[in-house]
Amino acid sequence: MTSLEIEGGVPLRGEVAVSAAKNAALPILAASLLTEEPIHIENLPRLADVRTISRLLQGLGTEITEADGGAVVRTPRLTGHEAPYELVSTMRASVLVLGPLLARSGRARVALPGGCAIGVRPIDLHLKGLERLGAEITLRNGYVEARARRLVGTRISFDLVTVTGTENLMMAAALAEGTTLLENAAREPEVADLAHLLIAMGAKIEGAGSERVEIQGVSGLGGARHRIIPDRIEAGTFLVAGAITGGEVTLRGAIPDHLTAVLAKLEEAGAAVQSGEDRVRVRGPERPRPADVITNPYPGLATDMQAQFMALLGLADGTSVITETIFENRFMHAAELRRLGASIETEGNRAVVRGVRGYQGAPVMATDLRASASLVLAGLAARGVTTVSRVYHLDRGYEAMEVKLAGLGARIRRTR
Ligand code: UD1
């Protein structure tokens, strides 16, 4: 099995370019189902999750042609209406085809995601919302079957903030009859990015990126060209890499505004941070200071950055408390970090991290995407060699991570 071998202890230095955001690319690719005209995406990240959704779309009749680091995506005619279990079980975000399929053809069949390594993660809010828009939803043989003649706009207030739920309903409502109001919507930049594409396609959407989104349905959508926003989680991960190794790393092509909570937490942990228009530079502290972390929906600190901060704070000069409010069971990395010498106790959704002076290299196993990133970060700071196995988790969401890290001076290589 493929793993990453890291010889730690090198302070990272230099510049690194941020790739296009995975969590924007996935809904944007799904949105291409809403029209028969081509969508030109200027920058698609090369990620396993992007390949998974591409395979899913191709099964539905979508033609995807790679072009200049991006792709032209076109679905002249839907030839299917199903997201099979085989794909949904490897990537939950496959449920993003539900809204567009229903809106375009009045019909969708999507496997229920079921449990995953970081918790139960139901899609009840997606389904409730679609029912409010007039869809008939049946659960049969592990699949959601949805049907609708034409969806009709209405007011939907989410019980919980859900990112892909907001995106699914925004896409469905774009072709509904009348106006839909989404309340307690997710404010993540990826939601706003999807809205920008939909607006370029002819949708009428106001307020995306705020908690209240108004969508006036239109009868058809057309082609568009779009450039995906930079990946704020990849960006945050590289900033922590700079900080944890006591180095100095500059991000190129970032949006500092999307990183406000991460930058504030890095400063609290003792790193020096400097932001420009599309650049951010971090200089690592000699030793991190302890800092408490609470994950929250955007603009709060992302749950997708929690594991990386745990790796950093594990080396702090004192004790930090990390509270995970979005997903239960998202501390699988704690046990692996302990193998590197970290002192972390978890109870429920809280982790008490007692900083140690250093990590020692060890073989560790990745359990999910961001957990893998935290192990790589700890490995970069550790004395000796760390081998991170099950790298396929990392490849789901980081483009050429070891190549980018090696460009910053890390001693890291992929083994077969
Ligand atoms: C998205 C991101 C993921 C990130 C997460 C939280 C994508 C492709 N993935 O996932 O990287 O970690 O947001 O920022 O954008 N919930 C329900 N019922 C639902 C939907 C969600 O109870 O119908 C709960 C979830 O279990 C979780 C919380 O709501 O506790 C937030 O989940 P959600 O925002 O939906 O996560 P995703 O959209 O799946």
Side-chain angles (χ1 to χ4, degrees):
M1 201 181 284
T2 313
S3 36
L4 286 182
E5 204 176 272
I6 305 157
E7 210 184 312
V10 183
L12 300 190
R13 291 192 195 286
E15 271 192 25
V16 62
V18 182
S19 295
K22 167 179 89 79
N23 286 354
L26 300 177
I28 280 168
L29 284 163
S32 69
L33 291 172
L34 289 165
T35 175
E36 54 189 45
E37 289 181 26
I39 306 293
H40 295 247
I41 305 173
E42 290 179 6
N43 53 343
L44 258 190
R46 285 173 194 276
L47 301 171
D49 274 7
V50 167
R51 286 192 290 277
T52 303
I53 198 148
S54 299
R55 264 174 64 205
L56 171 55
L57 294 177
Q58 281 160 339
L60 300 171
T62 306
E63 298 158 4
I64 303 177
T65 321
E66 286 187 26
D68 278 346
V72 181
V73 186
R74 182 163 183 233
T75 315
R77 199 171 61 81
L78 282 177
T79 57
H81 58 271
E82 182 172 311
Y85 181 65
E86 169 217 346
L87 293 177
V88 182
S89 59
T90 55
M91 188 187 70
R92 283 187 89 258
S94 304
V95 303
L96 283 166
V97 300
L98 184 55
L101 280 177
L102 199 57
R104 172 136 169 213
S105 73
R107 199 170 165 210
R109 189 166 183 268
V110 172
L112 278 169
C116 72
I118 60 173
V120 177
R121 299 181 83 175
I123 55 164
D124 56 315
L125 302 175
H126 302 229
L127 303 184
K128 259 196 220 166
L130 291 171
E131 274 179 335
R132 295 265 307 149
L133 291 176
E136 218 174 276
I137 309 263
T138 328
L139 301 183
R140 195 176 295 147
N141 306 115
Y143 277 75
V144 175
E145 294 182 2
R147 279 183 182 270
R149 237 168 231 253
R150 182 164 180 208
L151 299 168
V152 180
T154 185
R155 184 167 155 184
I156 297 166
S157 183
F158 290 103
D159 296 340
L160 273 177
V161 175
T162 161
V163 177
T164 49
T166 302
E167 292 164 347
N168 236 335
L169 289 173
M170 207 162 70
M171 291 189 277
L175 286 179
E177 194 181 315
T179 302
T180 301
L181 190 60
L182 302 180
E183 289 172 332
N184 198 24
R187 290 181 278 168
E188 269 66 3
E190 294 75 18
V191 173
D193 201 35
L194 169 65
H196 287 144
L197 167 75
L198 293 170
I199 292 166
M201 291 166 71
K204 295 197 170 144
I205 301 176
E206 270 177 36
S210 79
E211 63 194 354
R212 188 177 179 280
V213 185
E214 192 177 307
I215 306 130
Q216 232 178 303
V218 295
S219 55
L221 292 171
R225 177 177 275 277
H226 186 77
R227 187 164 185 84
I228 297 174
I229 55 168
D231 196 308
R232 64 197 164 93
I233 307 299
E234 188 204 26
T237 304
F238 280 108
L239 291 174
V240 175
I244 200 171
T245 58
E248 185 168 327
V249 167
T250 303
L251 302 177
R252 215 177 334 119
I255 299 182
D257 264 1
H258 293 172
L259 293 163
T260 308
V262 166
L263 299 182
K265 198 51 71 181
L266 280 168
E267 283 186 322
E268 202 182 324
V273 172
Q274 226 184 351
S275 304
E277 199 176 319
D278 69 342
R279 285 175 176 249
V280 181
R281 186 165 67 199
V282 70
R283 193 152 32 80
E286 189 98 342
R287 186 170 179 195
R289 288 200 295 259
D292 292 342
V293 168
I294 304 182
T295 62
N296 266 309
Y298 190 83
L301 193 93
T303 171
D304 286 351
M305 282 302 299
Q306 181 255 104
Q308 298 88 317
F309 271 106
M310 188 181 283
L312 177 68
L313 297 169
L315 293 175
D317 185 12
T319 300
S320 311
V321 176
I322 299 181
T323 311
E324 169 60 57
T325 72
I326 310 293
F327 295 117
E328 81 273 24
N329 203 17
R330 199 176 196 178
F331 284 142
M332 312 272 277
H333 42 282
E336 296 301 300
L337 289 171
R338 281 199 287 264
R339 292 176 52 75
L340 299 170
S343 168
I344 303 166
E345 277 168 44
T346 60
E347 201 193 312
N349 71 339
R350 271 158 53 101
V352 177
V353 184
R354 291 194 178 80
V356 295
R357 277 205 168 272
Y359 294 142
Q360 303 93 45
V364 288
M365 197 179 280
T367 49
D368 69 61
L369 169 53
R370 306 304 167 184
S372 341
S374 77
L375 299 176
V376 171
L377 295 173
L380 290 170
R383 212 158 6 94
V385 175
T386 298
T387 312
V388 183
S389 56
R390 302 206 172 157
V391 175
Y392 57 86
H393 288 295
L394 198 75
D395 293 336
R396 287 188 49 193
Y398 289 93
E399 185 170 49
M401 193 193 211
E402 75 275 19
V403 178
K404 291 190 182 188
L405 286 171
L408 296 170
R411 289 186 293 233
I412 182 168
R413 68 183 187 102
R414 188 174 280 252
T415 63
R416 296 256 150 221

